[in-house]
Amino acid sequence: ETGVTQTPRHLVMGMTNKKSLKCEQHLGHNAMYWYKQSAKKPLELMFVYNFKEQTENNSVPSRFSPECPNSSHLFLHLHTLQPEDSALYLCASSQGRGGQPQHFGDGTRLSIL
Amino acid sequence: GEDVEQSLFLSVREGDSSVINCTYTDSSSTYLYWYKQEPGAGLQLLTYIFSNMDMKQDQRLTVLLNKKDKHLSLRIADTQTGDSAIYFCAPGDNAGNMLTFGGGTRLMVKP
């Protein structure tokens, strides 16, 4: 079992659809992160959860809604997305303290039609 | 906030050394990380250095840190075609758990 698993790997959706991205970590970490990676910009941090509590929301539009039911699972609920939201969405986890690096999943490639 | 700059491309021949450079602005960064991203994959942690060190060696990888100039570099010895990927520099904040990523350097290794 890999450390951080993201599903689905690829997702194509229309602008009016609702879908969810899932992330699961098997590393016993306490912190989980959502990042957006698009072609023209550096990796952008979206949300951070520590012990299931959201500690960072980096001015993300409300059409992205995160959920963290426990320290091992993180979801990103999507609705009414725009074409510019097409990107690779990466999940990471860490122990949440200094010197403990973030470990990444392989991402979900999202395409908005 | 922190700004992290990397050059976009680096091309080397197989067997040569590669040096990927990174500059950052936040002098309070405590841990500084290097990640590798291969096509279609997420980011793989390569190595990291603590800010009270100026060099760390890990097999073919050598990290150099110049805190005064806020300059970090990653040297890959005996570069192989499998090293072709995008390399990201990511200084952590003073708590060490929030990272700011550079734009990445695409390393191309020619046989």
Side-chain angles (χ1 to χ4, degrees), chain A residues 96-110:
Chain A
R97 55 176 189 270
Q100 303 299 319
Q102 293 180 23
H103 295 261
F104 284 78
D106 283 334
T108 295
R109 173 69 63 186
L110 177 65

Side-chain angles (χ1 to χ4, degrees), chain A residues 9 33 35 37 43 45 48 56 88 90 96-99 101-102 104-106, chain B residues 31 33 35 37 40-43 45 48 88 95-99 101-103:
Chain A
R9 291 297 313 276
Y33 311 77
Y35 288 89
Q37 186 178 33
L43 206 64
L45 178 66
V48 181
E56 187 86 13
L88 181 69
L90 291 164
R97 55 176 189 270
Q102 293 180 23
F104 284 78
D106 283 334
Chain B
Y31 291 90
Y33 300 88
Y35 284 86
Q37 187 177 33
L43 274 66
L45 176 69
Y48 64 94
F88 293 92
N97 56 340
M98 298 292 284
L99 305 180
F101 285 84

Side-chain angles (χ1 to χ4, degrees), chain B residues 11 31 43 46 54 59 80 102 110:
Chain B
S11 178
Y31 291 90
L43 274 66
L46 281 181
D54 50 24
Q59 300 181 353
Q80 303 297 305
K110 299 177 185 175

Side-chain angles (χ1 to χ4, degrees), chain A residues 11-71:
Chain A
L11 179 61
V12 180
M13 56 187 284
M15 289 192 283
T16 57
N17 292 156
K18 289 185 181 181
K19 296 284 184 185
S20 296
L21 310 185
K22 179 183 176 183
C23 176
E24 185 173 0
Q25 58 97 359
H26 306 276
L27 300 169
H29 289 162
N30 302 314
M32 296 189 79
Y33 311 77
W34 278 119
Y35 288 89
K36 176 183 179 182
Q37 186 178 33
S38 47
K40 307 265 186 214
K41 293 184 182 179
L43 206 64
E44 298 173 81
L45 178 66
M46 300 174 73
F47 301 104
V48 181
Y49 279 81
N50 271 288
F51 293 96
K52 303 187 300 176
E53 298 298 319
Q54 189 181 117
T55 55
E56 187 86 13
N57 176 337
N58 202 17
S59 304
V60 181
S62 60
R63 58 186 184 269
F64 295 91
S65 174
E67 179 190 1
C68 189
N70 54 60
S71 293

Side-chain angles (χ1 to χ4, degrees), chain B residues 7-32:
Chain B
S7 51
L8 285 178
F9 297 103
L10 177 64
S11 178
V12 301
R13 293 221 170 266
E14 192 173 20
D16 289 349
S17 292
S18 309
V19 180
I20 302 170
N21 294 302
C22 169
T23 57
Y24 60 97
T25 56
D26 187 354
S27 58
S28 68
S29 294
T30 50
Y31 291 90
L32 302 100

